Amino acid sequence: MDFFIQLLVGGLSVGFLYGLSAMGFVMIFKSSSVLNFAHGELIAIGAYFFLAFVTWAKIPILLSFLLALAGCFLLGILIERIFLRPLIGEPLIFVVMLTVGLAAMFKGLILFIWGGNLFTYPDFLPKALGIDWKIIRIPPVYGATLIIGTLFLILFGLFFKFSSQGIYMRSVADNQRAALSLGVHVKRVFALSWAIAALVAGMSGMVLGIINGVNVHDLSGIGLKVFPVVILGGLDSIGGAIIGGIIIGLLETFTGGYISPSLRDVVPYIVLVLILLLKPYGLFGLKEIERV
Amino acid sequence: MHPCGNFRERYQQELSVFTTDFGRIWTGIGILLLITLVPLSASPYMLYIFNMIGITAIAVIGLNILIGFTGQISLGHGAFFGVGAYAGAIFSTALHLPMLLCIPAAGLTTALVGMIFGIPSGRLKGLYLTIATLAGQFIIEYVLIHWESLTKGTMGITLPPASLLGLSLRGDLGFYYLIFISLAGMVWIAVNLIRTRYGRAFIAIRDNDRAAEGMGIPIFRYKLLSFGISSFYAGFAGALWAFYMGSITAEPFNLGLSVEYIAMVIIGGLGSISGSIFGAVFITLLNEALRFMTGLLMNSDLFSTSELNIAPLREFVFGLAIVLFILLEPRGLAELWRIIRSNFRLWPFSY
Amino acid sequence: MDRILLQLNNISVVYSDVIQVLKGVSLSVEKNRIVSLLGSNGAGKTTTLKAVSGLLKPENGKVTDGTILYQGSEIQNQSPETITRHGIIQVLEGRQPFKYLTIEENLRVGTATRWGKPYRQDLERVYHYFPALWERRRGLAGYCSGGELQMLVMGRALMAHPELLLLDEPSLGLAPLVVKEIFRIIRQINEEEGTTIVLVEQNARMALQIAHYGYVMENGKIVMEGSADDLCENPDIREFYLGMSAAGNLKSYTEVKSYRRRKRWL
């Protein structure tokens, strides 16, 4: 029973992280229906920004965190401006392949600057964030993750539901032509959604870095985990991404714990194929409202 | 000469592969040179590169049939290549089939596997299908490593020395002929496939699958067929590769390989058979050049202290090449080639 | 000439560099008027509107010749973002709501050109014109009926405080009673807000009832113009657009066709 609870807690925490990482991915897909293969690299870049600020520049933790977020935000804008804007209106495969190329470029750059070694952040989290009952033990990192993640989720929920800019972003995702006719700055919306996505990705990268250490191969690998997560949750649902993440996380830890550790990494994809066959738009994806 | 304008009067003309005798003659001369001159003058290393290009080109043509002609983006082509390699190796070691049988049999096996992983295309479109093939990639990778009774797991399989009709194929030269005859055959099949009703059905599905269905094309069957054909090419190339290499492990058949194949299709030119070959040539040469460069830089004194930091440049340049091609010439090398050719043809009076 | 808000001088529009749709269209729209553009399918009415609102651009179209003057300055080939900020809003053909947004969110998108300014009052104003929207303001637009959607998209445009409202086929696919209601509101908006309206319509009878002035387009050209009353009296218009021949019954199609072909040379 202890083992079961351990797995449950582990799975929930890992899954929440997956969901958090997937949020940025969903955001880009929602606004511009681009499948971002460079997402893992964006996650990694966030972690390395934080690393650079904390260990090289020796800036206080909180400030570094904010600076790294700002850096990711700017990077997102730059990516959209330089690489994606010229491709508006081109077939999707080009856009998707462009993100593949970007992924290789970013990975090369990170490897060039930092190499493939494992880095760790200095320990800074207060112990009080963790929970240590007899059976359930949650290290402080996960406590922090839960708080940050929930905060971001609520913030983005409010942003998309109530702020004008959030509503403009949703309108572009919904009907680009109509949005254009009302004077919505569609290009600005694209830039903003890339910026926010990079920011969220970077944030999850930092959290992952705190938990597992910073290594470009591990972090960019998370970018591929995102696919089963978002398919499960529906490609266009941010809340669904979190739930999808938790389901995949639980699935992984339980297969790893009870069946075989080697099956752990492939189970999400098997589930993915099954879901695609049975429920093509995911568990929480929008059902198409089709009218003629 | 090309006339300026479209003066075709019959469907046969419209369907012709070579529009002019000029093109026909030069293609013939090119093939002749490839068969005679190259093997005589090239060093083993050059032959190795030629062979790699040939094998890659076969796989890329297959992928181009799927992506460029049928419009189904697949991220599992590298895994299919691997399935072909393993199938060839297993047929050869476990069933002791001769190589001449092993390679097509491996192609057929892969076609079957490809069709199984193409089943989601019945319900999924566009990016959802791409993600499904991505899942296929990981599942196949997993099976290749963990089905130990068949694939010998991480140990890999060592193949018996290759022989053809009793003659042993020794070294790069023997394989050079085998690979190029195969490539020529595969190109011939692909070019002609596109001209048949099947090819036209593929193109119709690519351009608008709803309309194609309305015209009475059973799209699911044709999509599966396209997956099958494309996987056959991948499997064929994979088996060739397995025999050429002599021993295989599951390691090279990862997502990176799939991505590399798509990159070749795009850099070469979507929906162009000759483009597939260009793409294979370009990426293979780029890889070799970068490997050469990194080797050179590592050996020089300049970077001896930070040798680890040079290798990532390969990854970076690879990504940059894809990005630049998409931004600057999305129709790929095939289009560039067409522009150059037409400039030459009409020089100095190009219009 | 102060009264003229929008003037098109001999404009030509080409799509994808090959398909010429407008072949020298000139028209002018006075302030606070409703001007209606009539014509059959493919005459170029919608393209004319898009040329004004800048929405040609994403469709690969371009104004190749002529000028579009809005309040005296040239606006042809500018991006939609710029043009909408001048106060020109187009209501697209076929309504195009944001299906996954609620009615109220849909209306809020209309504030895009005035981002950051308060919008509560504008919402009240739209609900005043379209009380039906108030009842459904929390529902998804995707589940609304055609009439409600037409009100929604017009209300959405009103949120932007347009000087010039371009309406593309508001009556498309609606029941006659609903059409009547919609046209009544269009007239009301014009009178109460002073909004200048360019109305593209197939339903010539309704359009001429509320319009002050009208243009008739055919094959990418303006073939006829006049005040709404004059046009109603014109025998050709009565014949082809209002469906009333001099004898009071419809002529046969063949006659119509030959007549029309002759008229093209005008």
Side-chain angles (χ1 to χ4, degrees):
Chain A
M1 194 61 198
D2 281 8
F3 187 54
F4 177 82
I5 291 176
Q6 248 174 28
L7 287 182
L8 187 72
V9 172
L12 282 174
S13 348
V14 172
F16 193 70
L17 277 179
Y18 284 159
L20 218 55
S21 327
M23 261 166 62
F25 183 91
V26 169
M27 213 165 291
I28 291 177
F29 186 84
K30 245 174 108 82
S31 73
S32 52
S33 46
V34 170
L35 217 54
N36 181 16
F37 275 88
H39 192 72
E41 279 68 21
L42 287 180
I43 291 175
I45 283 175
Y48 277 100
F49 274 169
F50 190 42
L51 184 73
F53 287 130
V54 171
T55 58
W56 288 4
K58 305 237 184 291
I59 298 171
I61 299 282
L62 195 65
L63 191 62
S64 306
F65 184 70
L66 294 177
L67 275 178
L69 286 183
C72 291
F73 191 83
L74 281 178
L75 182 75
I77 292 181
L78 281 181
I79 292 175
E80 201 277 338
R81 270 286 148 85
I82 301 173
F83 298 108
L84 284 130
R85 191 161 293 181
L87 286 184
I88 290 178
E90 296 279 342
L92 269 180
I93 179 173
F94 289 128
V95 188
V96 173
M97 268 320 281
L98 188 100
T99 64
V100 171
L102 281 180
M105 280 172 66
F106 287 147
K107 203 169 176 184
L109 267 182
I110 294 175
L111 279 169
F112 186 71
I113 300 172
W114 281 281
N117 298 334
L118 186 73
F119 295 92
T120 46
Y121 300 126
D123 201 18
F124 58 83
L125 287 168
K127 287 275 171 291
L129 282 172
I131 295 174
D132 194 353
W133 300 326
K134 283 226 159 54
I135 327 167
I136 304 172
R137 298 181 62 185
I138 303 174
V141 213
Y142 284 108
T145 310
L146 200 67
I147 293 168
I148 296 177
T150 319
L151 202 70
F152 264 74
L153 201 63
I154 292 171
L155 271 179
F156 280 115
L158 293 176
F159 174 75
F160 278 110
K161 189 70 197 162
F162 295 111
S163 83
S164 292
Q165 207 61 41
I167 289 178
Y168 301 155
M169 285 176 76
R170 279 163 63 209
S171 80
V172 170
D174 194 318
N175 188 336
Q176 203 171 317
R177 244 160 60 87
L180 209 57
S181 81
L182 288 166
V184 176
H185 234 293
V186 173
K187 287 169 188 160
R188 192 185 292 158
V189 164
F190 285 162
L192 195 65
S193 57
W194 272 87
I196 293 179
L199 183 141
V200 179
M203 194 262 306
S204 54
M206 288 177 237
V207 172
L208 284 165
I210 296 170
I211 295 173
N212 300 331
V214 182
N215 174 281
V216 62
H217 299 292
D218 293 347
L219 288 173
S220 60
I222 300 283
L224 294 172
K225 279 279 159 54
V226 160
F227 288 99
V229 170
V230 296
I231 287 289
L232 198 68
L235 265 174
D236 42 17
S237 158
I238 291 181
I242 297 285
I243 297 172
I246 288 174
I247 295 175
I248 294 286
L250 286 174
L251 216 67
E252 270 194 19
T253 40
F254 277 106
T255 356
Y258 283 117
I259 303 171
S260 95
S262 66
L263 202 62
R264 189 192 147 106
D265 285 329
V266 83
V267 152
Y269 297 101
I270 297 173
V271 173
L272 170 75
V273 172
L274 289 179
I275 288 181
L276 282 176
L277 286 175
L278 300 176
K279 222 169 168 322
Y281 295 101
L283 299 180
F284 306 99
L286 280 172
K287 281 209 184 64
E288 198 105 351
I289 303 180
E290 269 190 84
R291 43 185 308 155
V292 191
Chain B
M1 274 313 273
H2 250 301
C4 300
N6 194 345
F7 293 107
R8 289 158 181 162
E9 288 168 347
R10 283 169 300 139
Y11 282 117
Q12 280 94 322
Q13 288 173 321
E14 190 68 41
L15 289 173
S16 62
V17 177
F18 299 105
T19 42
T20 57
D21 285 336
F22 188 75
R24 200 169 288 136
I25 290 166
W26 273 107
T27 311
I29 292 175
I31 290 175
L32 216 65
L33 282 180
L34 276 178
I35 291 174
T36 55
L37 219 58
V38 170
L40 291 178
S41 57
S43 64
Y45 177 63
M46 290 295 290
L47 274 180
Y48 164 78
I49 291 180
F50 268 106
N51 288 344
M52 290 315 282
I53 289 176
I55 292 172
T56 316
I58 295 177
V60 177
I61 290 172
L63 188 60
N64 213 336
I65 291 175
L66 189 63
I67 297 184
F69 289 104
T70 324
Q72 316 290 311
I73 306 171
S74 163
L75 272 171
H77 211 64
F80 294 146
F81 186 82
V83 170
Y86 267 97
I90 290 163
F91 284 140
S92 168
T93 52
L95 304 178
H96 304 291
L97 292 177
M99 188 174 88
L100 205 58
L101 262 176
C102 274
I103 294 177
L108 288 176
T109 315
T110 316
L112 201 70
V113 174
M115 280 159 94
I116 291 170
F117 281 95
I119 290 175
S121 70
R123 284 191 70 181
L124 302 173
K125 265 204 257 185
L127 297 175
Y128 282 88
L129 179 64
T130 307
I131 298 177
T133 60
L134 177 78
Q137 164 79 36
F138 286 116
I139 292 171
I140 292 176
E141 250 181 79
Y142 177 82
V143 170
L144 287 185
I145 295 175
H146 290 95
W147 194 354
E148 297 203 354
S149 58
L150 198 65
T151 65
K152 301 211 175 70
T154 44
M155 297 276 292
I157 302 177
T158 307
L159 285 90
S163 66
L164 197 65
L165 302 173
L167 285 156
S168 80
L169 267 179
R170 225 175 293 126
D172 296 314
L173 190 63
F175 266 98
Y176 177 80
Y177 286 115
L178 176 65
I179 288 168
F180 268 82
I181 291 168
S182 315
L183 176 62
M186 292 307 236
V187 169
W188 184 79
I189 294 173
V191 168
N192 284 293
L193 175 81
I194 299 309
R195 303 195 301 160
T196 59
R197 55 181 295 193
Y198 299 102
R200 285 194 296 275
F202 290 163
I203 292 170
I205 290 170
R206 173 192 71 189
D207 289 344
N208 188 338
D209 58 347
R210 284 269 175 85
E213 197 169 23
M215 303 268 288
I217 297 170
I219 52 172
F220 180 47
R221 211 182 299 161
Y222 275 96
K223 279 180 182 171
L224 273 193
L225 184 68
S226 181
F227 265 100
I229 293 172
S230 136
S231 311
F232 177 81
Y233 273 74
F236 193 96
L240 265 179
W241 188 81
F243 279 103
Y244 183 46
M245 288 288 130
S247 71
I248 52 170
T249 59
E251 204 179 320
F253 313 122
N254 52 21
L255 182 65
L257 186 66
S258 295
V259 167
E260 211 163 292
Y261 283 139
I262 298 189
M264 292 181 203
V265 167
I266 288 190
I267 287 177
L270 276 172
S272 156
I273 302 289
S274 55
S276 315
I277 300 173
F278 289 139
V281 172
F282 183 85
I283 294 282
T284 312
L285 287 185
L286 183 74
N287 269 337
E288 286 303 317
L290 287 170
R291 191 170 297 157
F292 182 71
M293 294 264 287
T294 47
L296 211 66
L297 284 171
M298 276 189 204
N299 289 335
S300 72
D301 299 333
L302 224 73
F303 290 92
S304 54
T305 48
S306 56
E307 71 273 4
L308 248 175
N309 285 353
I310 301 299
L313 270 186
R314 274 184 59 202
E315 187 124 16
F316 180 78
V317 173
F318 175 70
L320 190 68
I322 300 178
V323 168
L324 286 182
F325 261 97
I326 290 173
L327 288 180
L328 303 177
E329 184 51 77
R331 275 176 293 181
L333 285 166
E335 178 71 9
L336 280 181
W337 170 241
R338 198 191 60 76
I339 293 169
I340 293 169
R341 229 174 21 175
S342 59
N343 277 344
F344 266 100
R345 197 164 48 217
L346 298 164
W347 190 85
F349 300 115
S350 56
Y351 52 92
Chain C
M1 295 299 281
D2 238 355
R3 290 201 43 80
I4 289 180
L5 187 68
L6 174 79
Q7 188 157 23
L8 274 63
N9 294 323
N10 201 23
I11 62 160
S12 298
V13 167
V14 176
Y15 281 109
S16 315
D17 294 324
V18 278
I19 308 157
Q20 183 168 22
V21 176
L22 296 191
K23 307 156 184 168
V25 169
S26 303
L27 56 86
S28 59
V29 177
E30 284 182 30
K31 260 183 202 152
N32 307 341
R33 292 300 186 91
I34 299 180
V35 172
S36 129
L37 266 180
L38 308 173
S40 56
N41 288 335
K45 308 182 299 283
T46 301
T47 303
T48 311
L49 286 198
K50 283 182 183 161
V52 176
S53 65
L55 286 176
L56 282 178
K57 234 182 187 180
E59 290 172 23
N60 216 355
K62 225 178 115 187
V63 178
T64 53
D65 227 348
T67 54
I68 300 175
L69 294 176
Y70 176 72
Q71 294 182 326
S73 51
E74 292 191 14
I75 57 160
Q76 70 269 18
N77 290 330
Q78 284 183 356
S79 68
E81 290 93 357
T82 323
I83 291 179
T84 44
R85 275 161 185 72
H86 288 314
I88 303 180
I89 301 286
Q90 178 176 5
V91 176
L92 295 172
E93 187 176 8
R95 295 189 261 282
Q96 320 254 7
F98 302 115
K99 285 183 285 195
Y100 302 105
L101 272 59
T102 63
I103 300 281
E104 188 150 320
E105 285 167 345
N106 261 281
L107 292 176
R108 282 185 63 186
V109 179
T111 61
T113 52
R114 318 183 310 115
W115 179 44
K117 300 212 179 76
Y119 56 86
R120 287 276 152 224
Q121 230 177 344
D122 301 317
L123 277 179
E124 306 273 308
R125 201 162 54 105
V126 170
Y127 290 139
H128 155 71
Y129 285 115
F130 307 103
L133 294 182
W134 168 255
E135 289 157 26
R136 311 208 43 162
R137 67 190 185 284
R138 305 234 179 273
L140 283 190
Y143 297 119
C144 285
S145 72
E148 284 164 342
L149 286 183
Q150 185 58 43
M151 295 182 194
L152 173 64
V153 292
M154 278 163 53
R156 210 167 59 179
L158 273 188
M159 294 292 288
H161 288 227
E163 295 260 336
L164 175 63
L165 189 61
L166 309 170
L167 291 177
D168 200 347
E169 304 239 5
S171 74
L172 190 74
L174 296 181
L177 275 177
V178 181
V179 174
K180 218 170 178 179
E181 172 72 5
I182 298 259
F183 274 74
R184 185 186 64 71
I185 298 172
I186 293 175
R187 186 73 195 234
Q188 191 189 354
I189 290 170
N190 168 258
E191 279 165 5
E192 291 178 14
E193 306 285 325
T195 313
T196 314
I197 296 173
V198 175
L199 180 66
V200 159
E201 255 308 323
Q202 301 270 359
N203 190 340
R205 192 192 308 246
M206 294 296 290
L208 287 177
Q209 268 172 27
I210 63 162
H212 303 102
Y213 203 81
Y215 289 89
V216 180
M217 290 191 74
E218 252 177 47
N219 267 324
K221 284 180 189 151
I222 302 269
V223 292
M224 202 179 289
E225 64 176 288
S227 72
D229 298 336
D230 289 351
L231 285 181
C232 281
E233 295 304 313
N234 184 301
D236 287 354
I237 299 289
R238 288 177 73 88
E239 177 105 30
F240 302 121
Y241 294 102
L242 303 180
M244 297 177 286
S245 74
N249 56 344
L250 260 116
K251 287 194 172 176
S252 78
Y253 181 66
T254 47
E255 271 176 282
V256 171
K257 213 174 170 191
S258 68
Y259 187 79
R260 200 176 259 187
R261 201 175 290 144
R262 185 156 51 76
K263 205 166 59 104
R264 248 173 226 168
W265 295 101
L266 286 178

